[in-house]
Amino acid sequence: MSFSSTMLLLTTGFLLLFVFTESTRHAPSVASKNDYYQLNLLGGAIGPESIAFDCNGNGPYSGVSDGRILRWKPEAQSWVEFAFTSPHRNRRLCDGSMEKEKESACGRPLGLKFDKKSCELYIADAYYGLLKVGPNGGVATQLASSAEGVPFKFTNDLDINSDNGVVYFTDSSTYYERRDFSQIILTGDKSGRLLKYDPATKNVSVLHRGLSFPNGVVLAKNNSYLLLADSTNFQILKFTLSSHHNVSAPQVFARVDKFADNIRRTDNGDFWVALGSHKHPQIVTEVPVGIKYDEHGRIIKVVNSDDTNTLELVSEVEEHNGRLWFGSPARPYVGTTKSS
């Protein structure tokens, strides 16, 4: 979930250049304009917050502002409906909606992740909690909506342990819903939680509490630790996992200059951190929208938007089959370009 009070919407055109910095030792190179393109969403919808590819590599899939999860069909060059998170979703009320006031009725899917073994899609919906849906889509099944008697207020992101199917996810606040996310920042709310769901027992437990807007979460390739975006504090935290799936006290993995959103792991074990709005608004010509870290927290690549700042709001950077895919809470499209 990114943060900004100004949401500029773009509908057409190839307006972005990306600058890839392979570290400070190398001069940046610029990707061709013709290499970047946009997959415009179905009419009216915005906010492809998270990007996912299924167990066969098909997609992308993305949840949008009106509660639908869409799937891109390259053969048809169009999006199709795949799933819904609200069990009683009203098409007349919801389809194409961009209104925050309707999210609790229509659903607002945020973090998405496919279980590579079952091919089921797990969903963190801001209002409906943790859900999953089978490979054929449809209405998602709610798995959890509270922990220790405290309802989820703002379920945000998730990842799945590839060995045992345990799901780790974030609840950004126990007081404020997504539609009131600015209050989390303004009040200094520290009620966010890191949680886990065990599909074998169907139990939810709290692993860590007292977090400041916990956001994106991702497991290491060997499932030995996880990273979490501690967004209000402009840092990425590292939690070591024990054999009993408990976590250590957090350590700072990296500090960032903008609000960190979703974190996604690459096939070789590196991590992409998506960056939202500025920590201190200023006029700049290169705005970082994603940083790639190795497992030791060293920066190995930075992606910048060009001086038009047209990709200022980025919620996720997903690397898949040689391309980078960009999610956003405010755009009517998914952007993509080559990863190198």
Side-chain angles (χ1 to χ4, degrees):
M1 169 67 197
S2 294
F3 324 94
S4 177
S5 58
T6 302
M7 296 186 176
L8 173 65
L9 304 182
L10 304 177
T11 56
T12 58
F14 304 124
L15 299 177
L16 296 180
L17 291 175
F18 291 97
V19 179
F20 294 83
T21 308
E22 294 286 351
S23 82
T24 55
R25 294 173 296 176
H26 302 282
S29 58
V30 179
S32 166
K33 274 188 179 182
N34 295 328
D35 175 62
Y36 172 80
Y37 60 89
Q38 297 165 177
L39 309 181
N40 293 327
L41 300 175
L42 292 175
I46 65 168
E49 171 85 14
S50 182
I51 308 295
F53 293 86
D54 64 27
C55 57
N56 296 312
N58 297 320
Y61 296 72
S62 189
V64 294
S65 61
D66 63 7
R68 292 178 290 180
I69 296 171
L70 307 178
R71 175 189 174 189
W72 177 254
K73 298 195 72 173
E75 65 275 15
Q77 288 292 289
S78 66
W79 294 94
V80 295
E81 294 179 351
F82 175 72
F84 309 90
T85 53
S86 171
H88 307 292
R89 186 177 182 276
N90 183 321
R91 282 190 175 275
R92 183 175 296 180
L93 174 73
C94 299
D95 279 9
S97 173
M98 296 183 291
E99 299 176 41
K100 291 189 296 182
E101 291 73 18
K102 294 181 180 180
E103 290 181 344
S104 60
C106 301
R108 185 56 174 105
L110 299 178
L112 304 179
K113 188 75 175 184
F114 276 94
D115 184 325
K116 298 302 182 183
K117 293 181 179 179
S118 68
C119 295
E120 295 171 309
L121 176 63
Y122 281 77
I123 308 156
D125 185 280
Y127 300 89
Y128 289 93
L130 182 67
L131 309 97
K132 74 173 181 178
V133 67
N136 295 321
V139 180
T141 299
Q142 187 181 65
L143 301 174
S145 60
S146 67
E148 298 179 347
V150 180
F152 304 151
K153 276 289 190 177
F154 186 171
T155 324
N156 200 322
D157 195 28
L158 62 89
D159 200 7
I160 305 169
N161 187 306
S162 57
D163 295 328
N164 54 30
V166 170
V167 181
Y168 296 86
F169 62 106
T170 53
D171 183 26
S172 294
S173 174
T174 60
Y175 297 110
Y176 300 104
E177 295 181 325
R178 180 190 180 274
R179 55 189 167 189
D180 300 317
F181 72 84
S182 61
Q183 292 300 310
I184 303 176
I185 304 168
L186 294 174
T187 63
D189 175 44
K190 295 182 179 180
S191 66
R193 299 180 290 177
L194 170 64
L195 308 107
K196 74 170 183 181
Y197 170 80
D198 188 336
T201 63
K202 296 181 171 46
N203 289 332
V204 178
S205 53
V206 179
L207 297 178
H208 197 82
R209 51 176 56 81
L211 293 165
S212 301
F213 211 137
N215 206 324
V217 62
V218 67
L219 287 155
K221 189 173 183 179
N222 64 2
N223 298 309
S224 64
Y225 65 90
L226 63 81
L227 301 182
L228 180 147
D230 189 35
S231 297
T232 309
N233 290 326
F234 302 98
Q235 60 188 4
I236 308 300
L237 299 179
K238 177 180 179 180
F239 293 85
T240 301
L241 298 174
S242 72
S243 58
H244 299 290
H245 313 299
N246 294 318
V247 296
S248 66
Q251 298 177 319
V252 176
F253 177 80
R255 299 189 186 278
V256 292
D257 290 329
K258 299 174 68 180
F259 286 97
D261 208 314
N262 288 347
I263 312 172
R264 292 295 179 265
R265 192 185 67 248
T266 67
D267 288 341
N268 67 356
D270 296 326
F271 303 99
W272 276 107
V273 176
L275 301 175
S277 61
H278 285 296
K279 181 177 180 181
H280 301 295
Q282 54 185 313
I283 298 174
V284 293
T285 58
E286 293 181 356
V287 179
V289 296
I291 300 177
K292 188 178 184 179
Y293 294 93
D294 68 12
E295 61 181 359
H296 303 292
R298 296 177 298 212
I299 296 175
I300 54 178
K301 184 178 288 189
V302 176
V303 180
N304 296 314
S305 71
D306 70 346
D307 59 1
T308 63
N309 294 341
T310 50
L311 202 61
E312 176 69 7
L313 293 169
V314 170
S315 54
E316 184 167 308
V317 182
E318 175 78 23
E319 188 170 330
H320 178 74
N321 284 350
R323 298 195 68 85
L324 297 180
W325 299 82
F326 300 91
S328 170
R331 306 302 182 201
Y333 56 79
V334 169
T336 180
T337 190
K338 286 183 178 179
S339 59
S340 60

